[in-house]
Amino acid sequence: PTYFVAGYHFAKARKALNMNTLTIHKLRHGTATAILQGGGDLKDVQAVLNHKSAQSAMRYAHFAEQVKVKALGFIGKKRA
């Protein structure tokens, strides 16, 4: 029952904001991305998104690697 209530309110808010393509899945993915961009790791993603296994959080591993590569690119560069 709680899931349906949350879904109802999410759909209502999405319609009011005219964000028809927004889904709960996209919000979860955006949350995982923000955690990784902020310096968190896959264990943090697993905890926040309440994944039962580390394997579930591994779907974001490719993005975690991109963040690391970008961060390593800053080594030796001066900031303007």
Side-chain angles (χ1 to χ4, degrees):
T2 305
Y3 176 79
F4 295 113
V5 171
Y8 167 78
H9 289 290
F10 179 77
K12 191 174 176 180
R14 182 177 64 185
K15 184 176 181 179
L17 295 169
N18 196 28
M19 300 179 81
N20 297 325
T21 61
L22 185 63
T23 64
I24 291 175
H25 172 77
K26 288 179 182 178
L27 287 175
R28 289 176 59 85
H29 186 78
T31 299
T33 301
I35 290 168
L36 295 170
Q37 285 179 327
D41 60 24
L42 292 174
K43 284 280 190 188
D44 298 321
V45 171
Q46 179 183 358
V48 171
L49 297 184
N50 199 29
H51 287 148
K52 303 282 186 234
S53 70
Q55 189 65 29
S56 296
M58 288 299 292
R59 73 186 70 196
Y60 302 104
H62 69 283
F63 188 76
E65 288 302 314
Q66 291 173 4
V67 170
K68 288 178 189 176
V69 168
K70 180 180 176 188
L72 290 172
F74 293 123
I75 295 175
K77 290 186 177 181
K78 292 184 180 181
R79 289 199 159 196

